[in-house]
Amino acid sequence: MSLLTDGPHPQSATSGARAFARLGGRPANDEVAPAPQAPRQQPEPVETVTLGKIGDFLELDLGRLFVWLRRGLLASVALAGLGAAAGGAYAVLSPPKYTVATDILIDPANLQVVSDDLFQQPGQVDNALLTAGSKLRVLTSGNVLSRVVDKLNLVADKEFYNPNPSPGLLSGLLGASKDEKPADPRLAALSALSARVSTSADEKSFVATLRVSSETPDKSIMISSAMVDAFKAELATAEADGAGRTAAALNDRLDELKTAVKQAEEKVEAYKREHNLATSSGELVNTQTMAQLNQQVVEAQSRVIAAQSSYDELVAAGRNANTADTQGSAALTALRASAGALKQQLDAQSMVYGPRHPTIVRLNTELAAVNAQLEAEIGRIVAAAKVSLEEAKTAAAALSARAEELKSNVFGDNEALVTLRELERDATSKSTIYEAFLSRARQVTEREQLDTTNVRVISTAVPPAARAWPPRTVVMLGAGAVAGFVAGMLLAVLFGMIRDMRQSPRRRTASATA
């Protein structure tokens, strides 16, 4: 329909005229101006697309847009059908994926077996979070995945490693290299398993979720269970390796400490032999002997004092002495009793008879004999006391001389004892360190045999109700149809824009009003 004739679309004609005026034609109000003289007809030049024309062209109106969409409606419907068919084919032909989830409680604190454990328990919240995060990272580490690949022999599973893969469309078009070496089966299975597992952590607890995907529910559950077992084994192995390295380092150090203790103790014994420092019960023998001699000297002096006192008393008292020595003499006691009896008889008879009476003479003779014996016994006791005094003095002098002789040795030993104590302290400190290392090494060696990891599965994997990918066939059909239809509409708009930009302004305006 021509723009100069009245038609059923005056609004479209007006907008087309304005667009034409912007693209370089006559003004929109030229119909009221006087018509100039018609020039000679010349051929229309070929329209070129410039940035200015593109900017003017982008100011579209709904009329032109509807024209483009109407022209591409059949193509859009066809693409919608193709998209639905492609979506349905993908839903039916693509291998399904079933995803299972396992909830694991990863306690950052291990089981407390001993008070001074080798591995320190996390105290602060930040340390606990870092510890739990590190353990969670181990769950999907290469070591854990390698354990699962070896345990389940995933190299033999075509889902994880296909020795003869069919070339894809892109590989077929580009052409695969004949010199390309096949991938290592174990690495390929490891990479495929890594792509099918994922983890997520709860922000408010130490619970982590392990998700595993495979082509069958049973396989997903089996892989999930194997990963949990491998995760626990890896944590226990890590702790055992740490304890083993510590035990080995301690054992290596123990040999050096043992040698140092032996050398220190040998130095102590050599110094004792060199300076004749014999010890008994941790004390020098000379010191003990000196102490005993001092005690003996004191006792000897006490005996001298006691003997001197007894002797002086005997000498002063004479026959009337009453000391321990006289009391211990039975003969002296008997003589004193006889003398007493004779004295009583003599006194009694003297009252009756005179001094020359035979009875008085006899009694005096007997009393004199008894007194002579009594004096002899007292003399004997005094002589014995004097002998005891001399013996006590001699013993005390001998002990004092021995103590004086030993005193110089003790002073020399005390000077040597200062160095000896320094050597003994050095040997004792080295021995203490050696015993501490030995005890710790044995404890760490036993710790290596214990599994103190605190990881528990609080929710085991169960078969899923439906596959995780691809979605249901109905959903894929609808999605494919919508995607195809939208692609068709976009292509219709694109081709319409390209076609209108290559047309002359008059034709473009006419097509917009058609």
Side-chain angles (χ1 to χ4, degrees), residues 173-189:
L173 294 177
L174 298 179
S177 176
K178 296 182 179 180
D179 298 334
E180 183 179 357
K181 296 181 180 180
D184 182 31
R186 192 170 184 275
L187 294 180

Side-chain angles (χ1 to χ4, degrees), residues 289-302:
T289 304
M290 185 64 186
Q292 294 174 0
L293 280 175
N294 290 333
Q295 183 66 27
Q296 292 175 4
V297 167
V298 172
E299 292 176 356
Q301 291 176 352
S302 299

Side-chain angles (χ1 to χ4, degrees), residues 366-390:
E366 292 179 359
L367 180 61
V370 171
N371 287 334
Q373 292 178 1
L374 183 62
E375 290 293 338
E377 184 65 22
I378 291 295
R380 187 189 65 77
I381 293 175
V382 171
K386 186 175 181 180
V387 171
S388 298
L389 176 60
E390 294 298 330

Side-chain angles (χ1 to χ4, degrees), residues 128-187:
L129 291 176
L130 290 176
T131 303
S134 300
K135 291 183 178 180
L136 178 60
R137 180 62 185 85
V138 174
L139 181 57
T140 56
S141 63
N143 291 344
V144 174
L145 298 180
S146 298
R147 289 174 180 266
V148 176
V149 170
D150 296 337
K151 180 179 180 180
L152 301 181
N153 194 20
L154 297 183
V155 176
D157 193 337
K158 291 186 178 180
E159 179 183 357
F160 295 92
Y161 174 69
N162 189 359
N164 298 315
S166 58
L169 179 61
L170 185 59
S171 300
L173 294 177
L174 298 179
S177 176
K178 296 182 179 180
D179 298 334
E180 183 179 357
K181 296 181 180 180
D184 182 31
R186 192 170 184 275
L187 294 180

Side-chain angles (χ1 to χ4, degrees), residues 401-423:
R402 176 59 180 163
E404 290 296 331
E405 180 183 355
L406 190 60
K407 186 182 297 183
S408 60
N409 295 335
V410 170
F411 288 154
D413 291 345
N414 289 335
E415 294 178 359
L417 188 61
V418 175
T419 305
L420 178 62
R421 287 173 179 171
E422 183 65 26
L423 294 175

Side-chain angles (χ1 to χ4, degrees), residues 197-262:
V197 298
S198 62
T199 58
S200 60
D202 189 2
E203 296 180 356
K204 298 182 179 180
S205 65
F206 293 115
V207 176
T209 301
L210 171 65
R211 293 180 176 84
V212 179
S213 301
S214 67
E215 294 181 356
T216 60
D218 294 338
K219 186 188 297 184
S220 298
I221 295 175
M222 181 176 60
I223 294 175
S224 178
S225 178
M227 284 198 65
V228 172
D229 295 339
F231 174 53
K232 294 179 179 179
E234 182 64 24
L235 292 180
T237 302
E239 290 190 358
D241 291 343
R245 290 192 302 269
T246 304
L250 289 175
N251 290 328
D252 294 340
R253 182 59 180 161
L254 280 176
D255 295 336
E256 300 178 4
L257 292 176
K258 183 178 180 180
T259 303
V261 171
K262 184 178 180 182

Side-chain angles (χ1 to χ4, degrees), residues 311-329:
Y311 177 75
D312 294 341
E313 186 178 358
L314 285 173
V315 172
R319 61 180 295 179
N320 297 322
N322 187 14
T323 63
D325 294 332
T326 59
Q327 292 176 2
S329 177

